[in-house]
Amino acid sequence: MAEPCVARGRVEGALLELLAERRRLRDAPPPHARFRAPEVVRAGLRRWMSDEHGPHARVSDLRRLSGAGTNELYSFTLHRDGAQESHVLRVKVPGSGVVTHLGREVQAMRAVDGLIPVPRPRWLTHDPRYLGAPAVVTDFSPGVQAPRGQETRASGMGTTYPEPLRSRLAPQFVSYEALLHAFDWSRAGLDQFEPPRAGTTDAVDWRLAFWDRVWDEDRLEEHPSMALARDWLWEHRPVVDVASLLHGDYRNGNFLFDEERGVVTAVIDWEMTWIGDRHADLAYTMFKSFAHVRDGVTLVAGLLDAERFVAAYEEVSGLPVDPERLHYYFVFNMYWSNVSLLATGLRNAAAGMTQLDVMYQAMAGKGAMSCAALNKVLFGGAR
Amino acid sequence: MIPSVDRHLEAIRERLAETIFPMLPPEAEFAREQASFVLMALDLVRAAHPHAYRYEVVERHEYAAAVGDLLALGVSPGAEAEARDALAAPEPRADEASIPLAALIEGNRALKTVVTRLFEALCAEGGETADSAREVLRRLAVRQVARERALFASTGYTRSETSLAETLAQPGAAS
């Protein structure tokens, strides 16, 4: 029989450690892997804050927020030194449907704080004695994920914006993505990331190798569309002209805004951050599944048409947008999102690592739809 | 098929038992009683569904044999005609569905792994060999996706012009 295909690129060290930790958790799931009771979270947070700020620090108003895909979210008030502060606690979910690295997430947010509005990370712990998993406390960012009265969807996907809100938010949305990609990360102390060489395929090689590894570790069974996509992606890797810090999940629903003023107050959900080709982020932002059709015009992320989006991006970033690379990263993004939908979520469900097992298993249907789209993009979809 | 029907049922049972039913208030006695029957029924369905088709095959052959035995004893023409009509229904082979579903699934997964490894090895050779291997996988991918679209149509995530039954009955579906 043919030998199994070995990964064609290397995986960054921090991500290799993350994958090893994941295997350990699956072999011996921690007591609260599937569900942390509110009293467990409250007690763990109190211990942690007390260790950080002394025995007089106190926690109150702990409240679970929506969303639990990769992190459990809680708002709370911290009382210390006679003052009250509003914060958000994010605790990693061991059985998450997508592999993410909290240390990288926090470093990226700290690096761009001031350039882009982000929830400022304050304290980070990898000590499982507090909450059973890595956790971070950030400042509370005011704002909403979707306009008032709009039905909130999972992770804010498909959020739409009425006028005049849309016209106010659109330029900010584009600008922050452009500023992020033009940001010089080389002096930002991002030691959880390995620096790829510009003008090479380092960045895409490493990222592809990572997703290949996750697919190989997590898939319950092989899929011909995924095999074809993997083959195509390795065959067509474009050189990365400029290696940018990427958000990885930049779309509608992943920023908070002040509805009255039409101001973006925070770009959130940095779990998927990596250093690579800006076209990966752009192609993701331009996914049709995040778009909204208004008067026959497809609005990128529900905000503005593709032509204006690209023009505004190029103007702010000073970086050109190449349609060929955009196409490559459409396929790339479909590939990794399918790794999550058809492998990681299902593997963690089967391993009893999550309470979202029914949801992940039903959402395998999204993976099926995405495989149909992959077939169409790669060879027209019919044979 | 991922996830398997059994995996869906197992997850549904866990969510009901661990997440949803404990939220029923203590005074909702009737609801709590029915909840325990729901779990019992789900356990029964999980245990039985892999054998449902084989169960019917066994019964079909057992009862068809009994009809033959009884006809041989001599019955009225009307009763015989009715019996012959019943026997005329499509008959599965006696050994049909005798492979346990779990073993069939495991075997299919092993085949899928072999297909991918062969594909990768042939692609590594490049040239016409690689192109031909890609063409084989493309045909496979089209049929795989057609089945999945039909399978998940009820979730709303996919759309399919044919039902799962029609898709599986199409020429080439089990060639």
Side-chain angles (χ1 to χ4, degrees):
Chain A
M1 187 199 301
E3 288 300 310
C5 180
V6 292
R8 278 170 271 196
R10 71 181 183 84
V11 178
E12 290 175 81
L15 298 180
L16 279 177
E17 285 173 23
L18 179 70
L19 295 178
E21 174 62 13
R22 226 171 47 120
R23 288 192 295 274
R24 280 195 292 275
L25 286 174
R26 281 183 186 155
D27 289 343
H32 307 294
R34 272 193 299 201
F35 178 66
R36 293 180 192 93
E39 56 271 21
V40 171
V41 176
R42 190 173 290 111
L45 181 60
R46 277 179 182 156
R47 278 199 309 278
W48 181 20
M49 291 298 101
S50 181
D51 286 352
E52 287 280 351
H53 309 294
H56 298 297
R58 196 165 62 82
V59 167
S60 70
D61 310 318
L62 183 71
R63 192 166 65 88
R64 179 82 185 256
L65 303 174
S66 65
T70 53
N71 291 303
E72 283 175 16
L73 304 178
Y74 301 84
S75 62
F76 69 97
T77 304
L78 176 66
H79 306 256
R80 59 168 182 151
D81 302 330
Q84 293 185 18
E85 302 164 6
S86 294
H87 293 297
V88 170
L89 168 68
R90 300 161 66 87
V91 189
K92 295 304 285 182
V93 176
S96 162
V98 60
V99 190
T100 65
H101 191 288
L102 188 65
R104 287 162 62 113
E105 175 185 348
V106 167
Q107 281 199 342
M109 285 197 289
R110 283 185 174 145
V112 300
D113 185 15
L115 179 71
I116 296 169
V118 293
R120 180 172 297 160
R122 302 295 290 268
W123 305 285
L124 169 70
T125 182
H126 288 281
D127 189 338
R129 286 176 304 167
Y130 295 123
L131 294 150
V136 62
V137 169
T138 66
D139 283 348
F140 180 85
S141 296
V144 294
Q145 211 173 3
R148 250 193 320 267
Q150 190 171 120
E151 189 183 341
T152 307
R153 303 182 194 180
S155 303
M157 283 187 191
T159 300
T160 59
Y161 310 89
E163 286 293 11
L165 186 61
R166 187 164 64 237
S167 295
R168 290 177 183 160
L169 294 176
Q172 299 168 72
F173 177 79
V174 184
S175 290
Y176 290 138
E177 188 164 20
L179 289 169
L180 172 65
H181 295 166
F183 171 65
D184 178 8
W185 49 266
S186 63
R187 293 177 194 169
L190 301 179
D191 61 10
Q192 296 284 325
F193 301 75
E194 289 176 30
R197 294 167 300 167
T200 71
T201 58
D202 280 356
V204 66
D205 289 354
W206 301 350
R207 198 62 176 172
L208 260 183
F210 169 69
W211 289 119
D212 285 355
R213 181 75 69 99
V214 177
W215 173 256
D216 290 341
E217 288 190 7
D218 291 358
R219 64 173 165 71
L220 298 178
E221 60 183 54
E222 287 285 1
H223 195 295
S225 301
M226 292 296 278
L228 286 164
R230 183 195 282 208
D231 171 59
W232 187 90
L233 286 166
W234 280 102
E235 286 284 310
H236 294 85
R237 285 149 31 243
V239 166
V240 181
D241 57 347
V242 177
S244 299
L245 183 61
L246 308 179
H247 179 277
D249 195 6
Y250 199 87
R251 59 171 168 79
N252 36 342
N254 272 348
F255 64 87
L256 304 177
F257 58 94
D258 180 313
E259 197 169 5
E260 305 305 319
R261 296 185 296 132
V263 172
V264 173
T265 54
V267 175
I268 60 174
D269 286 356
W270 289 77
E271 298 100 330
M272 304 295 298
T273 184
W274 59 294
I275 294 174
D277 192 319
R278 61 192 176 280
H279 294 84
D281 256 2
L282 292 171
Y284 186 83
T285 303
M286 296 172 81
F287 256 161
K288 278 187 183 166
S289 51
F290 306 142
H292 175 62
V293 179
R294 181 93 184 171
D295 301 328
V297 178
T298 301
L299 303 176
V300 172
L303 286 165
L304 73 173
D305 67 75
E307 198 174 323
R308 285 197 300 140
F309 173 76
V310 169
Y313 173 87
E314 288 183 329
E315 186 183 340
V316 176
S317 68
L319 297 166
V321 176
D322 171 3
E324 273 188 36
R325 273 187 284 168
L326 214 47
H327 174 74
Y328 177 88
Y329 284 102
F330 274 127
V331 178
F332 174 91
N333 286 325
M334 279 192 270
Y335 178 69
W336 78 253
S337 63
N338 268 3
V339 170
S340 297
L341 289 166
L342 293 176
T344 303
L346 298 182
R347 170 66 66 181
N348 283 335
M353 295 285 289
T354 174
Q355 282 203 321
L356 301 178
D357 43 4
V358 171
M359 183 184 90
Y360 285 154
Q361 291 182 175
M363 285 177 67
K366 284 184 85 169
M369 200 65 226
S370 188
C371 281
L374 269 176
N375 286 359
K376 192 172 178 187
V377 169
L378 294 176
F379 57 90
R383 273 293 184 284
Chain B
M1 179 193 292
I2 50 166
S4 66
V5 172
D6 185 59
R7 212 17 243 145
H8 276 295
L9 291 170
E10 185 182 12
I12 290 165
R13 191 201 187 285
E14 284 300 302
R15 263 340 90 230
L16 290 172
E18 188 180 72
T19 311
I20 297 171
F21 290 164
M23 301 305 286
L24 290 173
E27 63 273 22
E29 289 178 14
F30 179 72
R32 294 174 74 87
E33 186 179 70
Q34 294 310 302
S36 68
F37 280 113
V38 166
L39 297 182
M40 184 198 293
L42 276 171
D43 287 340
L44 184 154
V45 171
R46 275 194 71 199
H49 91 88
H51 313 291
Y53 192 76
R54 179 66 191 160
Y55 192 101
E56 298 298 335
V57 170
V58 167
E59 287 206 337
R60 162 74 199 197
H61 282 274
E62 205 170 287
Y63 279 81
V67 167
D69 291 345
L70 293 171
L71 286 177
L73 299 175
V75 294
S76 70
E80 181 169 350
E82 188 186 356
R84 301 278 174 212
D85 282 349
L87 287 174
E91 184 175 60
R93 290 192 325 272
D95 65 347
E96 197 159 319
S98 57
I99 303 169
L101 183 59
L104 189 59
I105 290 172
E106 195 177 331
N108 286 349
R109 287 186 174 171
L111 279 175
K112 290 178 182 185
T113 302
V114 170
V115 163
T116 304
R117 288 181 184 177
L118 291 172
F119 170 70
E120 288 170 344
L122 293 167
C123 283
E125 289 182 21
E128 284 183 21
T129 303
D131 289 341
S132 300
R134 290 182 183 116
E135 192 54 35
V136 171
L137 261 278
R138 284 171 190 154
R139 288 196 295 269
L140 204 55
V142 168
R143 293 197 294 269
Q144 177 74 40
V145 162
R147 280 192 297 277
E148 289 169 350
R149 291 175 76 143
L151 174 65
F152 285 103
S154 66
T155 64
Y157 291 128
T158 61
R159 269 178 281 178
S160 175
E161 289 172 7
T162 53
S163 70
L164 183 57
E166 290 165 337
T167 304
L168 295 173
Q170 279 172 355
S175 57

